[in-house]
Amino acid sequence: MDQIKWGIIGCGNVTEVKSGPAFNKVPNSSLVAVMRRDGALAKDYAERHGVPKWYDDAEALINDPDINAIYIATPPDAHESLAFKAMQAGKPVYIEKPMARTAAECDRINAESKRTGVPVFVAYYRRALDYFLKVKELIDKKVIGDVRFIDICLQWQPYDEEVGPNAKPRWRVNPEISGGGHFHDLASHQFDLLEFIFGPIRHATGIARNQAGLYEADDIVVANFEFESGVLGKGSWCYTIDKDQREDETQIIGSKGRITFSFFEKFDIHVETSEGIEVFHIPYPQHVQQQLIESIVRELRGEGKSPSSGDTGARANLIMDRITQKQ
């Protein structure tokens, strides 16, 4: 492939800034068309972002001869069927995270990729962000010695639409659409990055419950996990606490120090050793998916390798399925 000409299926909020504009900023890449079931919204998006074409039918976009790569940015319940259609049309697929609702769906997508020879990529863009690459560099250089364990804490208050007499929770907390709740939406990023840094997780267990009753999905999860390297980890995720208790902190404990960082909200990395505390401040770029998209374009052009593939993307689903006892 020379010029990568993208079509987006599902041009919702995630595509407004995080991903959509990046397709036109990456060399040898352009955004040719967008699709949304509500044609008026697809047309509006196309006009605001300068996209030449818009559709209200996914298959019409997939079969557009001017498009040779597909970005699936719908909720997870549609990922498998749309990925199959794109691959059977011979068009590489870039899928929003999580890759699908379950590990079984991910496995079927990857099997079809191997059958057709059409590559799959997953939007675990933290693998390409400078902030997280710095964390990996610090680990690889053994700045804190040999890593012993990892401790994740993520506590968020409910979203406004999830509380009150007129509550209307969104699709992310409808397991039939998302595969789980906020844990599946957010912890998928965390486990994917941890495997990128530390290698495969060989064992994971946990407890997932719904305590507050605001929606059907679990709202609290605790987990223990072990990497093949012998590094241990634990985590707790709660999405129904007061906003003054909001916390997003992960600690990596080594034999000679610790690294403290945030997966979602802060731009500082704290490194504490016997020599003192060093802080690295690394903000995210405007379009957080741009660096990963650039790596995908390079791979499709035969110029490199993307750090996020269908095989790596499926791993997060497998780990979450084990923690929530779906597998």
Side-chain angles (χ1 to χ4, degrees), residues 178-325:
S178 67
H182 294 303
F183 175 75
H184 275 68
D185 185 40
L186 299 172
S188 55
H189 267 306
Q190 295 172 308
F191 286 116
D192 176 79
L193 184 80
L194 291 177
E195 287 211 329
F196 177 59
I197 297 174
F198 297 103
I201 290 173
R202 67 181 173 193
H203 182 66
T205 61
I207 301 171
R209 297 288 185 267
N210 182 306
Q211 292 183 334
L214 299 178
Y215 40 73
E216 183 181 351
D218 52 60
D219 58 26
I220 185 168
V221 178
V222 295
N224 294 315
F225 46 95
E226 179 184 12
F227 294 84
E228 288 183 1
S229 64
V231 173
L232 300 181
K234 66 184 178 72
S236 59
W237 296 260
C238 181
Y239 302 100
T240 58
I241 50 84
D242 291 337
K243 63 181 180 180
D244 58 358
Q245 298 183 74
R246 188 178 177 108
E247 185 172 350
D248 171 16
E249 181 177 282
T250 295
Q251 291 194 5
I252 303 171
I253 310 300
S255 59
K256 297 181 179 179
R258 75 178 63 205
I259 296 171
T260 304
F261 70 100
S262 166
F263 270 99
F264 301 104
E265 297 190 319
K266 304 170 187 175
F267 304 127
D268 289 339
I269 302 167
H270 294 256
V271 182
E272 183 179 351
T273 66
S274 59
E275 298 179 359
I277 299 175
E278 187 172 8
V279 180
F280 299 91
H281 182 73
I282 308 174
Y284 293 175
Q286 180 183 11
H287 310 297
V288 292
Q289 296 197 28
Q290 183 169 336
Q291 289 164 270
L292 180 61
I293 292 169
E294 186 170 352
S295 77
I296 294 169
V297 169
R298 288 199 303 268
E299 178 169 336
L300 293 176
R301 286 172 49 82
E303 299 172 342
K305 190 74 173 176
S306 170
S308 183
S309 66
D311 288 335
T312 62
R315 293 281 307 167
N317 277 87
L318 177 62
I319 295 162
M320 293 188 299
D321 281 2
R322 288 174 175 172
I323 288 171
T324 57
Q325 301 178 24

Side-chain angles (χ1 to χ4, degrees), residues 62-139:
I62 290 170
N63 293 320
D64 185 330
D66 292 333
I67 293 170
N68 59 13
I70 307 295
Y71 170 36
I72 299 173
T74 65
D77 63 326
H79 288 183
E80 181 183 5
S81 62
L82 291 171
F84 266 62
K85 290 175 182 177
M87 288 186 288
Q88 289 166 4
K91 300 184 179 184
V93 182
Y94 178 44
I95 306 176
E96 258 307 324
K97 44 61 57 186
M99 183 175 171
R101 291 177 295 184
T102 65
E105 290 183 352
C106 295
D107 289 344
R108 291 194 291 269
I109 292 172
N110 284 329
E112 185 66 5
S113 173
K114 291 175 175 61
R115 187 190 73 80
T116 59
V118 178
V120 173
F121 307 93
V122 184
Y124 285 118
Y125 54 84
R126 281 165 174 76
R127 288 176 174 244
L129 285 180
D130 291 343
Y131 178 91
F132 298 101
L133 290 175
K134 185 63 178 181
V135 175
K136 187 177 189 304
E137 175 191 317
L138 294 166
I139 296 300

Side-chain angles (χ1 to χ4, degrees), residues 7-9 32-36 53-68 70 82 85-86 89 91:
I8 298 178
I9 300 177
V32 173
V34 296
M35 173 270 163
R36 198 163 177 173
K53 302 180 185 182
W54 61 270
Y55 292 95
D56 59 7
D57 178 80
E59 291 193 39
L61 181 143
I62 290 170
N63 293 320
D64 185 330
D66 292 333
I67 293 170
N68 59 13
I70 307 295
L82 291 171
K85 290 175 182 177
K91 300 184 179 184

